[in-house]
Amino acid sequence: MLDYFFRPRGVMIVGASRDPHKLGYGVVRNLVEYQYRGNIYPVNPVANEILGHKCYASIPDVPDPVDLAIIVVPAKLVAAAADECGKRGIQRVIVVSGGFGETGEEGKAREQELAKISEKYEMRIIGPNCIGTIDTHTPLNTTFVIGMPKVGDIAFVSQSGAMVAAVIDWARGAGVGFSRIVSLGNQVDVNVTEMLRSVAGDPQTKVITAYIEGLTEGREFMEAAEEIARNKPVVVLKAGFGKGGAKAVASHTGALAGSAEAYDAAFEDSGVLRAHTMEELFDWARALAWQPLPKGNRIAVLTNAGGPAILAVDFLEKSGLQLSQLTEDTKKYLHPRLPSAASVNNPVDVLAGSGPATYAVALDTLISDPQVDAVIVIQAPQDWFLPESLAEVIGEVAAIHQKPVLATIMGLASVDKALGILHQKRVPTFAFPERAASALTAMCDRQEWLDTPDESPTEFKDVDKEAAKQALEKEDFSAMLAAYGIKLPPSQLAEDAGDAVQIADKVGYPVVLKLVSEDITHKSDVGGVILNLVDENSVRKKFDETIKKIHADFPKARIDGMLVQRMLSGGQEVIVGVRRDPQFGPLVLVGSGGVEVELQRDVSMGIAPLTKSQAERMLEDTQIGRRLKGWRNIPPADRQAVIEIMLRMSQIACDFLEISELEINPLYVLPLGKGAFAVDVRGAVLVK
Amino acid sequence: MLDYFFRPRGVMIVGASRDPHKLGYGVVRNLVEYQYRGNIYPVNPVANEILGHKCYASIPDVPDPVDLAIIVVPAKLVAAAADECGKRGIQRVIVVSGGFGETGEEGKAREQELAKISEKYEMRIIGPNCIGTIDTHTPLNTTFVIGMPKVGDIAFVSQSGAMVAAVIDWARGAGVGFSRIVSLGNQVDVNVTEMLRSVAGDPQTKVITAYIEGLTEGREFMEAAEEIARNKPVVVLKAGFGKGGAKAVASHTGALAGSAEAYDAAFEDSGVLRAHTMEELFDWARALAWQPLPKGNRIAVLTNAGGPAILAVDFLEKSGLQLSQLTEDTKKYLHPRLPSAASVNNPVDVLAGSGPATYAVALDTLISDPQVDAVIVIQAPQDWFLPESLAEVIGEVAAIHQKPVLATIMGLASVDKALGILHQKRVPTFAFPERAASALTAMCDRQEWLDTPDESPTEFKDVDKEAAKQALEKEDFSAMLAAYGIKLPPSQLAEDAGDAVQIADKVGYPVVLKLVSEDITHKSDVGGVILNLVDENSVRKKFDETIKKIHADFPKARIDGMLVQRMLSGGQEVIVGVRRDPQFGPLVLVGSGGVEVELQRDVSMGIAPLTKSQAERMLEDTQIGRRLKGWRNIPPADRQAVIEIMLRMSQIACDFLEISELEINPLYVLPLGKGAFAVDVRGAVLVK
C-alpha cells in the first residue's frame, strides 16, 4: 500500500523550481541525478522546463502515469495543492514543506486541514515537515539532500529529518548500502508503525532500523514489531529520556515504572533490538543483514595479537556470552599448523607474523568446531602481508559456512581496501573489537528471542469480573483483588477497641492493626500500623492509643477505624503492581517489596497481558526472584504463587483499562506451597 | 632519565638488516624515513651500508655520540649484545626481539639474564618483545611499524605492541597527533608506572593515555598516577576481566572485592579516568588535550536539528551532568537573532537553514552565559552552507573563550574538510553526539576530582597496636578490633548452659547465643545463632538444644561453647571489610550487611588508607548509605560511627599487612548518636 512511495510509476513535484538554492530544485535534481526511471513532472506556472524535464503549469495538467506527488510549496498553499492532487486522483503525497505543527497553533490547524484532505480522498500523506523517501533499488530519491547511499539491504525509518541527512552522508562515506530510507516528519497520516510494516514487506530489505522520538500508537507498534521481528530484525534507537515529563504518582509502581522503562519493556516483549547510540544502530544492522544468526552464544576469537582479543573477550563476558571451549580435535589440528608459540586455546592467537594462509586454516577450523557458534576475527596491523589478502580469505571462508563471522581489521590509514573487500563479501567489519562483540551480542539476543516459544497469555476463568467491577466503583481495591482470586490475609475492619478484640479472636493471634483512612496514604510512616500484637490487652491498648494519636496529629483526617489482620510470619516481601502507560497501556511490575522499594529499585517490568514464561523471566531478572528460590538460611518461598498473582494482576489490568495504578506491597510470600497474601493494596483510577 | 629513549643523541641498531622483510631493516628505515636528526649506526658484520648509513661490524666499533641501542637479533643472542652495549657504556636499550617470557621457561630464564645485565650496568631496558618508542617532536621512530603519527600532544603508553601498531595506523587515518608512543613489552626493567612518570615530564605532552593489561606495582602506580593527574590528565584503558582468576575466599569481602573492583577503586582514588573502549580512550584524550576543563557541569547544546540534540541530552543526563538553565539575558539576546521557530531554550535549535553567522552569534552568546560551563555544538548535514565555514566559526569562537567547546559535525562523505579545520583549531570533533557527551563527562569528572581538596588519611591515636598484634597472633579478630577502638556488643563465651545464664544476667536481656567453633564458618546457616532470648529458661533450653544438634550434625567439629551476647535492636546492618589485593594492597569495602550481602551486592570500595571524605563518598555510593540517613519510617542511624569504623578498619589493614581478609558483618548501626557495634567478625591471615 505504501509501496508507491518507493516505486511510483511517475512523480509530480508541486513547487518545482529553477533556482538551485531552493528545495523545489533539489527534489527535481535528486530524481534526475539519481536516475529515477519513471516520468518526472515538475509543476511550475512560469518555467518551461527544469533540468530537461517539461514543466506543467498546474496539477490538473500533469499527464498519466503519476502515482506520487511531492509538495514543496509554502505552508499556506499546501492544503490547496493537496486537494488538487486528490481531485487529480493522486493518492500518495509527500509534504516536504515545514511551517506546520512544529511552529505552533496556526501550523497545527494546517495539519488538521491536511488530515481532512487525506481522509476525503483516501490519500496517504508522508509529512509534513519531512525529507521524503529513498529507494536505492527502484532507484528513487525524493529528497533534496545531496547524496545517495549505495544499493543495500538495510532500511531506515526516522522521525527526524536531520538523522536521515546524517545517515545519508555517513552511508556514503562508510560505503554502507541501504534499501529504503524514509523521514516521517509530523506524521499527519502515515506513522512509524505503518511505515515499519511497509518497509518490512520490501523483499530487498533484510533489516529494519528506526530512529524514534516517541510513539502515540504504542500497542499497534508492539504488534507490528513482533510480527516483523519474527522474519526480519528490527533495531531501534529511541531518543528522549529527559526527566521533564515526570508527574505526581500515587504508588511505588508509578514512581518506578516511568515512560523510559515502559519503552524498554515493550521493545523487549516485541523482539525489538534496542541500540543505545547511532553507531550501535548501524553496527548491529550490518551484522544482522550480512551474516546468519548464531545458533548459540559460544564465541571463538581469532587474532594475531593478545591485546585486542582481551578487549573483545571482556565485552563478550560482560554481555553474558561465552568463550567456546574448543574441542580437542580442533586444538590438535591447529597445533602443528600455527607458529609454535601460538595459543590454540580460545582466543586463538596466531601471532604477529602469520599471514592469510594461516588465518584461512585457523578460521575454517574454528568455524567447523561443533562447540563454536560464531567467530570474531581480529587483525592488528602488521607489515608482512597485505590486509586485503586477509580480507579475501575471511570473506571466502565465511561464505562457505553457515555461522556468523565478524571482523575487526584494526587501523585506519592502511586498511581501506581490506574494508572494501569485506563489505563487498558481506562480512561486517568494526574498527575496534568491542564493537564487533557488541554486534554479536545483538545477534545472540535476537536468536534467543526467536527461540522463545510463542505462548498465549494466561487467562484465569475462576474470576468474578462483575464483583470486581462493583468493587472498583467503590475504589475497594482489596475486594477487587479478592474477586480475581488473589488472597488477602484474614482481616476485618474494627470501629472500636471492643470490635478489634472480637475480630482478633476470630482471625487468630498474633494480629496487626492498620489504620483505615482515605486521607492518609503512607500509614506506616505516621504510626498507623502496629505489628505483632499477641493478646487481647495489647490489642485494646494499641487501638485506643493509635486512634488518639492520629486524631491529634491529623485533626482533619477522616478515620474509619482500624483493620485487624492476622499477622503472617516467615515469608518474603514482594511488590506486584500494574500501571497504565500512556503509550503502551497496562504494564506489570514485580520486585523487592516493603517500604524501601523506591530505595532498592529492584524491579522488572513487562507489558500486559503477560504469558507465564514472561512472568518467570521478569521475576528471574530481579534480586528478589533469586531470593525467593532460597538463599543461605532463608527457605525457598512460594515463587509459583507470585507468578500466578502477576498473571492475575495482568488480567485485571487488561480487563479494567480505567485503572491507572494498582499495587500489592507487600505481597507476603510464604514458604513453598503455602501461597502468597496481598497484605497491603493501593490503587488509583484514571480521571476521565 | 628515561628521556633518552625519546631524545637520544645517536642510535645504534644491533641486528640491522638490508633485507626489507626483516625487522632489523624496518627499524633503520623508520629512523631514516621519519627524519631522526641524530646519528644512525647500523651494526651488521657483513653489510657496508644500509639506506645510506655506514654499518659497523660490532658494537665496540660504533663511534660516539650514541645513547640508545635497539636490539633486534634472535633471542639467544640478545643477552650477549646487551652485555656488549653495557661495556660500550650505553645505558638505554630497547629489546625488540621476541622469544622471552611469552614463550615459556627458557624465555623466562633469558629475561632473568637480561635483568642481571640491566642491574650490572645500571642499564635501562624497554622490552623485550616490544615495538619501541616514538617521539614526533624529536622526531624519532624506533619501531618497525610503517607510518608515523602527526606531531601532537597526546602520549600513549601500551603494554601491547599490537595496540601501538593499531593506534599508529588509526592516528594517521584520523589525523590525530601524538607526542610520544611507547610499547613496553615484557617489562623486564622499565614498567608502566615509571614510563608514565617519564612521559608526564615531557613538556610536549598534555594528556597521557595508556593501555594496561595488568600491574604488579599497584601502589607505586597509584602514587605516580595521582601525582601526574594533579597536572595532566591520565586516561587508561584496562583490559582483562576474565573470570578465570577467581580463587576460593574466606569472606563476603573476598567474594565481592575482586581484582576488577580493586582496579576501579585504585583508578578512582588516584584521579585516573577509566575509558572502557579504545574509542573512548582517544575521544577523551582529544577533548582533554585540546580544550580547557569545564568549571562545572552545566552544559549547553547548540544544534540545527532536534534529533541529534536529544541523543546528546540523553547521554548527558544519564551521566549526571546538567542541562544549563540559560539566563533571561541570553534568551532575550538570541530570540531576535534566530529564526522565529527556533528554540532559545537549551538545547538551542537554530533550525536547518541557519548558517555560520547564526552559529557564531549563538555560540558566542551561549559560551558567555554565566550559567553555562561548556557547549556541545552539533550540525546535522544541510545543503545551504559549507560545513567548513561552520568549522572556522566554531574554532574562532572557541579560541577566544575559556570554556570547553566540543563539536559533532554529523556525516562522513561531505565533512572531511570541516573536520580537518576543527582538528587544526583544536576543537575536538565526534561523529555522533553521544561521543561528544561522553568526552565532556570525562572532563567534568576530572574537574571534580581536581576540586576535591587534598586530605591526609585519618590516623587514630587511641589504638593499642601491641594488643592487636597479640590478638592477631591468636587469630582473635574480635579482640583485634577492640584494641583498635571498635565496639563489640557486650558478650562472653559460655562453656555450658549454667555459664550462659550467668553471663546473660551480666550483659542484660534479651541475648543472642552464638556457636563458637573454628570448624564451622557460616554459623547462622546451621542453626548456630539463636536470637532474642528473653529469660533464663529459654537461654538454658536453647543452649543445650543447640549444642546437641550441632554435635549430631557435625560430629567431627570442635565446639568451644556459645557466645552470649546482648541483643541489639532498632538498628541497621552494614558490612565493613578489608581485603589485601595482590596488586593494590589493602582495600576497604562498605555496603549493605547481613546474610544477603552477596545477593544484594550493594557495596563500594576504596584503597586504604582512607581519608574521611573518601569514606563519606564510598558510603554515599551505596544504597545503605542513603538508608542510614533515614528513609520513610526508618529513623536516621549513626552514620558517623560507620565512617569512623571504616577509617579504623583502614588503619588496621595498613598496620597489619599480613591480614588477607577481615570483615565485620553485620556492623549493627544504632540510631543517631548511639554508635555502631561489630556483631560478627571474621578474618583470615595471609599464608606465608
Side-chain angles (χ1 to χ4, degrees):
Chain A
M1 262 224 324
L2 300 181
D3 228 43
Y4 284 109
F5 281 113
F6 301 97
R7 298 192 298 160
R9 285 167 303 174
V11 179
M12 171 202 302
I13 306 94
V14 184
S17 167
R18 282 171 301 186
D19 176 353
H21 293 96
K22 296 214 159 155
L23 303 186
Y25 173 88
V27 172
V28 179
R29 179 201 61 216
N30 280 6
L31 285 166
V32 174
E33 191 165 314
Y34 304 125
Q35 299 170 21
Y36 172 56
R37 288 188 290 256
N39 287 314
I40 300 173
Y41 305 115
V43 176
N44 182 313
V46 295
N48 285 325
E49 59 98 32
I50 298 176
L51 290 166
H53 288 266
K54 185 190 167 198
C55 284
Y56 296 83
S58 72
I59 293 169
D61 295 344
V62 173
D64 275 323
V66 55
D67 297 313
L68 175 62
I70 303 163
I71 299 182
V72 273
V73 298
K76 59 176 188 286
L77 306 178
V78 166
D83 194 70
E84 281 200 72
C85 287
K87 284 189 192 134
R88 171 72 183 71
I90 294 173
Q91 291 191 298
R92 303 291 179 279
V93 170
I94 297 173
V95 181
V96 173
S97 323
F100 287 82
E102 78 280 9
T103 58
E105 286 312 313
E106 198 184 345
K108 274 193 195 122
R110 286 194 194 119
E111 273 183 23
Q112 277 157 12
E113 219 177 331
L114 266 185
K116 272 184 208 147
I117 292 166
S118 157
E119 210 171 313
K120 180 171 165 196
Y121 297 105
E122 293 184 13
M123 174 194 285
R124 305 314 311 269
I125 299 178
I126 294 181
N129 188 30
C130 75
I131 283 194
T133 56
I134 291 178
D135 187 311
T136 58
H137 295 269
T138 303
L140 172 80
N141 186 327
T142 69
T143 79
F144 53 82
V145 175
I146 292 173
M148 173 88 162
K150 285 199 318 186
V151 166
D153 38 27
I154 299 171
F156 179 52
V157 176
S158 174
Q159 284 187 339
S160 155
M163 286 299 182
V164 164
V167 166
I168 292 171
D169 204 58
W170 169 84
R172 286 166 62 213
V176 172
F178 279 78
S179 50
R180 290 181 170 180
I181 294 181
V182 51
S183 134
L184 294 170
N186 298 3
Q187 303 182 78
V188 70
D189 174 33
V190 176
N191 65 20
V192 173
T193 301
E194 226 183 331
M195 189 47 83
L196 287 183
R197 277 195 194 277
S198 167
V199 297
D202 169 30
Q204 308 290 355
T205 294
K206 289 225 166 74
V207 173
I208 299 103
T209 61
Y211 168 83
I212 292 179
E213 291 177 359
L215 291 171
T216 47
E217 69 286 4
R219 284 285 165 156
E220 293 111 82
F221 173 85
M222 285 181 70
E223 260 171 54
E226 180 161 356
E227 224 177 284
I228 296 167
R230 289 273 159 224
N231 297 307
K232 297 181 180 180
V234 181
V235 191
V236 171
L237 177 63
K238 163 76 178 75
F241 286 111
K243 297 154 198 161
K247 286 178 205 142
V249 285
S251 70
H252 294 301
T253 305
L256 293 168
S259 166
E261 291 80 8
Y263 272 100
D264 271 332
F267 287 177
E268 202 188 317
D269 283 3
S270 43
V272 170
L273 296 166
R274 175 164 196 179
H276 297 91
T277 61
M278 287 288 283
E279 209 161 66
E280 271 186 359
L281 186 64
F282 295 111
D283 275 358
W284 297 3
R286 281 183 297 140
L288 290 159
W290 296 352
Q291 288 286 305
L293 288 177
K295 294 293 169 218
N297 65 357
R298 301 164 307 171
I299 316 299
V301 177
L302 173 60
T303 186
N304 67 339
I310 300 177
L311 291 177
V313 170
D314 279 352
F315 195 97
L316 291 172
E317 292 194 342
K318 206 175 66 183
S319 310
L321 306 196
Q322 286 175 28
L323 267 194
S324 311
Q325 293 287 339
L326 302 180
T327 60
E328 286 308 313
D329 284 353
T330 294
K331 291 187 213 169
K332 263 187 219 151
Y333 189 83
L334 286 179
H335 186 68
R337 287 170 173 83
L338 302 185
S340 62
S343 161
V344 295
N345 287 307
N346 192 8
V348 172
D349 187 347
V350 297
L351 304 183
S354 289
T358 310
Y359 265 99
V361 170
L363 177 55
D364 186 70
T365 309
L366 284 177
I367 208 169
S368 307
D369 187 318
Q371 314 260 43
V372 170
D373 295 314
V375 184
I376 293 181
V377 184
I378 298 171
Q379 187 175 56
Q382 42 73 37
D383 297 328
W384 297 277
F385 300 95
L386 298 173
E388 42 269 40
S389 310
L390 178 68
E392 302 263 23
V393 155
I394 296 174
E396 202 180 341
V397 178
I400 54 174
H401 291 277
Q402 288 309 307
K403 293 180 185 175
V405 175
L406 282 71
T408 292
I409 309 294
M410 297 186 79
L412 194 57
S414 68
V415 299
D416 259 11
K417 209 164 165 185
L419 300 188
I421 291 169
L422 284 164
H423 268 193
Q424 195 255 318
K425 303 210 178 219
R426 303 178 66 78
V427 174
T429 58
F430 307 89
F432 297 106
E434 309 91 318
R435 283 171 56 188
S438 158
L440 197 46
T441 303
M443 296 173 93
C444 288
D445 285 352
R446 172 159 169 77
Q447 184 60 52
E448 201 187 318
W449 182 80
L450 286 173
D451 288 342
T452 310
D454 211 10
E455 187 188 336
S456 299
T458 310
E459 207 189 325
F460 296 94
K461 303 291 179 197
D462 62 343
V463 305
D464 185 345
K465 201 168 162 182
E466 190 48 42
K469 197 177 160 194
Q470 286 170 19
L472 182 59
E473 272 161 21
K474 288 181 278 179
E475 298 201 9
D476 182 349
F477 297 103
S478 297
M480 193 179 187
L481 295 196
Y484 266 66
I486 296 173
K487 282 184 265 181
L488 307 164
S491 72
Q492 203 177 319
L493 178 70
E495 292 185 3
D496 59 38
D499 257 14
V501 169
Q502 276 188 355
I503 295 166
D505 278 339
K506 206 163 65 186
V507 302
Y509 284 99
V511 298
V512 183
L513 293 181
K514 279 188 196 165
L515 182 68
V516 178
S517 164
E518 275 181 18
D519 300 332
I520 298 171
T521 308
H522 292 301
K523 276 117 182 153
S524 58
D525 290 5
V526 301
V529 179
I530 318 289
L531 302 174
N532 204 20
L533 300 173
V534 296
D535 55 27
E536 190 180 319
N537 273 345
S538 43
V539 167
R540 193 180 299 278
K541 185 167 158 242
K542 285 292 176 186
F543 189 102
D544 288 335
E545 268 178 29
T546 307
I547 295 291
K548 198 169 153 193
K549 180 175 183 302
I550 298 291
H551 267 307
D553 293 349
F554 300 89
K556 301 253 164 132
R558 189 190 127 176
I559 296 170
D560 297 327
M562 293 189 85
L563 201 69
V564 184
Q565 198 171 65
R566 169 70 181 266
M567 175 148 162
L568 303 167
S569 67
Q572 299 190 39
E573 294 189 336
V574 170
I575 179 172
V576 178
V578 300
R579 184 176 80 79
R580 194 172 150 77
D581 180 77
Q583 273 79 41
F584 297 102
L587 58 80
V588 179
L589 164 149
V590 69
S592 288
V595 291
E596 292 174 55
V597 286
E598 283 175 48
L599 186 67
Q600 294 196 291
R601 301 193 90 84
D602 169 38
V603 292
S604 170
M605 260 154 278
I607 307 288
L610 300 185
T611 65
K612 191 161 180 234
S613 46
Q614 195 183 350
E616 299 251 22
R617 276 199 306 279
M618 284 168 62
L619 196 54
E620 197 62 41
D621 279 349
T622 64
Q623 209 179 80
I624 186 74
R626 296 186 289 279
R627 199 179 188 275
L628 287 171
K629 290 179 178 168
W631 174 259
R632 305 284 294 271
N633 58 343
I634 302 165
D638 203 333
R639 222 162 164 272
Q640 284 313 312
V642 178
I643 287 165
E644 189 184 316
I645 289 168
M646 289 167 69
L647 295 170
R648 287 180 185 274
M649 287 285 275
S650 152
Q651 192 168 337
I652 294 177
C654 294
D655 285 351
F656 298 94
L657 293 175
E658 62 268 46
I659 294 175
S660 68
E661 293 174 27
L662 176 61
E663 142 186 314
I664 307 173
N665 182 32
L667 174 72
Y668 200 79
V669 190
L670 294 175
L672 225 53
K674 309 244 174 195
F677 291 86
V679 171
D680 220 344
V681 178
R682 192 173 297 159
V685 176
L686 282 184
V687 181
K688 277 156 205 162
Chain B
M1 263 227 320
L2 300 181
D3 228 43
Y4 286 110
F5 280 113
F6 301 96
R7 296 193 300 159
R9 285 167 304 173
V11 179
M12 172 201 301
I13 306 95
V14 184
S17 167
R18 283 172 301 185
D19 177 353
H21 293 95
K22 296 214 160 155
L23 304 186
Y25 174 87
V27 173
V28 179
R29 179 201 61 217
N30 279 7
L31 285 166
V32 174
E33 193 164 311
Y34 303 125
Q35 299 170 22
Y36 172 57
R37 287 187 291 256
N39 287 313
I40 300 172
Y41 305 115
V43 176
N44 180 313
V46 294
N48 285 324
E49 59 98 32
I50 299 177
L51 291 167
H53 288 267
K54 185 191 166 197
C55 283
Y56 296 84
S58 72
I59 293 168
D61 294 344
V62 173
D64 275 324
V66 55
D67 296 316
L68 175 61
I70 302 162
I71 299 182
V72 272
V73 297
K76 59 177 190 282
L77 305 177
V78 166
D83 194 70
E84 280 201 73
C85 286
K87 284 189 190 133
R88 170 72 184 69
I90 294 173
Q91 292 191 296
R92 303 292 180 278
V93 171
I94 296 172
V95 181
V96 173
S97 323
F100 287 82
E102 77 280 10
T103 59
E105 286 311 314
E106 199 184 344
K108 273 192 195 123
R110 285 194 193 118
E111 272 184 22
Q112 278 156 12
E113 219 178 330
L114 265 186
K116 273 186 204 142
I117 292 166
S118 158
E119 211 171 309
K120 180 171 165 196
Y121 297 105
E122 294 185 12
M123 175 195 285
R124 305 314 312 269
I125 299 178
I126 292 181
N129 188 29
C130 77
I131 284 194
T133 55
I134 291 177
D135 188 311
T136 58
H137 296 269
T138 302
L140 172 79
N141 186 328
T142 70
T143 78
F144 53 83
V145 176
I146 291 172
M148 173 89 163
K150 285 200 318 185
V151 166
D153 37 28
I154 299 171
F156 179 52
V157 176
S158 174
Q159 285 186 340
S160 154
M163 286 298 181
V164 165
V167 166
I168 292 172
D169 203 58
W170 170 83
R172 286 166 61 213
V176 171
F178 278 80
S179 52
R180 290 180 171 183
I181 293 181
V182 51
S183 135
L184 293 171
N186 298 3
Q187 302 183 80
V188 70
D189 175 33
V190 175
N191 65 20
V192 173
T193 302
E194 226 183 329
M195 189 48 82
L196 286 184
R197 276 196 196 275
S198 169
V199 298
D202 168 30
Q204 308 291 354
T205 295
K206 289 226 165 73
V207 173
I208 299 104
T209 61
Y211 168 82
I212 292 179
E213 291 178 358
L215 291 171
T216 46
E217 68 285 4
R219 284 286 164 155
E220 293 111 84
F221 173 86
M222 286 182 69
E223 260 171 54
E226 180 161 356
E227 224 177 286
I228 296 167
R230 289 274 159 225
N231 299 306
K232 296 180 181 180
V234 181
V235 191
V236 171
L237 176 63
K238 163 77 179 75
F241 285 113
K243 299 153 196 161
K247 286 178 206 144
V249 285
S251 69
H252 294 302
T253 305
L256 294 168
S259 167
E261 291 80 7
Y263 273 100
D264 270 332
F267 287 176
E268 202 186 318
D269 283 3
S270 41
V272 170
L273 297 167
R274 174 162 198 182
H276 297 92
T277 61
M278 287 289 284
E279 208 161 66
E280 271 187 358
L281 187 65
F282 295 111
D283 274 359
W284 296 5
R286 281 182 297 141
L288 290 159
W290 296 351
Q291 287 288 304
L293 288 176
K295 295 293 169 218
N297 65 357
R298 301 164 306 171
I299 316 299
V301 176
L302 173 59
T303 186
N304 67 338
I310 300 177
L311 291 177
V313 170
D314 278 352
F315 194 98
L316 291 171
E317 291 193 342
K318 206 175 69 184
S319 310
L321 306 195
Q322 287 174 26
L323 267 195
S324 310
Q325 293 286 340
L326 302 179
T327 60
E328 287 307 314
D329 284 354
T330 294
K331 292 187 213 170
K332 264 187 217 148
Y333 189 83
L334 286 179
H335 187 69
R337 290 171 172 81
L338 301 186
S340 63
S343 161
V344 297
N345 287 307
N346 193 8
V348 173
D349 186 347
V350 296
L351 303 182
S354 288
T358 310
Y359 265 99
V361 170
L363 177 56
D364 186 71
T365 309
L366 284 177
I367 208 168
S368 306
D369 187 317
Q371 314 259 44
V372 170
D373 295 314
V375 184
I376 293 180
V377 184
I378 298 172
Q379 187 176 54
Q382 42 74 37
D383 297 328
W384 297 277
F385 301 95
L386 299 172
E388 43 268 40
S389 310
L390 177 68
E392 301 264 23
V393 155
I394 297 174
E396 201 180 341
V397 177
I400 53 173
H401 291 278
Q402 287 309 306
K403 292 179 185 175
V405 176
L406 283 70
T408 291
I409 310 294
M410 296 186 81
L412 194 57
S414 68
V415 298
D416 258 11
K417 208 165 167 183
L419 300 188
I421 291 169
L422 285 164
H423 268 193
Q424 195 255 320
K425 303 209 179 221
R426 302 178 66 78
V427 174
T429 58
F430 307 89
F432 297 107
E434 309 92 317
R435 284 170 56 187
S438 159
L440 196 48
T441 304
M443 296 173 92
C444 287
D445 284 351
R446 173 161 169 75
Q447 184 61 51
E448 200 186 321
W449 182 80
L450 287 172
D451 287 343
T452 311
D454 211 9
E455 185 188 339
S456 299
T458 311
E459 207 190 324
F460 296 93
K461 301 293 180 195
D462 62 345
V463 304
D464 185 344
K465 199 168 164 181
E466 190 48 42
K469 196 178 160 193
Q470 287 170 17
L472 182 58
E473 272 161 21
K474 286 182 277 178
E475 300 201 8
D476 182 349
F477 296 104
S478 296
M480 193 178 187
L481 295 197
Y484 266 67
I486 295 173
K487 281 184 268 181
L488 306 164
S491 72
Q492 203 176 319
L493 178 70
E495 291 184 3
D496 58 39
D499 258 13
V501 169
Q502 276 188 355
I503 295 166
D505 278 340
K506 208 163 65 185
V507 302
Y509 285 98
V511 298
V512 182
L513 293 182
K514 277 186 196 165
L515 182 69
V516 178
S517 164
E518 275 180 18
D519 301 332
I520 298 171
T521 309
H522 291 301
K523 275 118 183 151
S524 60
D525 289 6
V526 301
V529 179
I530 318 290
L531 302 174
N532 203 22
L533 300 174
V534 296
D535 56 27
E536 192 180 316
N537 273 347
S538 43
V539 168
R540 193 180 299 277
K541 185 166 158 243
K542 285 292 175 185
F543 189 102
D544 288 334
E545 269 177 28
T546 306
I547 295 290
K548 199 169 152 191
K549 179 175 183 305
I550 298 291
H551 267 308
D553 293 349
F554 301 88
K556 300 255 164 127
R558 192 190 124 175
I559 296 170
D560 297 328
M562 293 189 86
L563 200 70
V564 183
Q565 200 170 63
R566 170 69 183 268
M567 177 150 163
L568 304 166
S569 67
Q572 299 189 39
E573 294 189 337
V574 170
I575 180 171
V576 178
V578 300
R579 184 177 79 80
R580 193 171 150 78
D581 179 77
Q583 273 80 41
F584 297 103
L587 57 81
V588 179
L589 165 150
V590 69
S592 288
V595 291
E596 292 174 55
V597 285
E598 284 175 47
L599 186 67
Q600 293 196 291
R601 299 193 93 83
D602 169 38
V603 293
S604 170
M605 261 155 276
I607 306 288
L610 300 184
T611 64
K612 191 160 180 236
S613 46
Q614 195 181 350
E616 300 249 23
R617 276 198 306 278
M618 284 168 62
L619 197 54
E620 197 63 40
D621 279 350
T622 63
Q623 207 179 82
I624 186 73
R626 295 187 288 280
R627 198 180 189 275
L628 288 171
K629 290 178 177 169
W631 174 260
R632 306 284 294 271
N633 57 342
I634 302 164
D638 203 334
R639 221 161 164 274
Q640 284 313 311
V642 178
I643 286 164
E644 190 185 314
I645 288 167
M646 289 168 69
L647 295 169
R648 288 182 186 271
M649 286 286 273
S650 153
Q651 192 168 335
I652 294 177
C654 295
D655 286 351
F656 299 94
L657 294 177
E658 61 269 45
I659 294 174
S660 67
E661 293 173 26
L662 177 61
E663 142 185 316
I664 308 172
N665 182 32
L667 174 72
Y668 200 80
V669 190
L670 295 175
L672 227 53
K674 309 246 174 192
F677 291 86
V679 171
D680 220 345
V681 178
R682 191 173 299 159
V685 176
L686 281 185
V687 182
K688 277 157 207 162

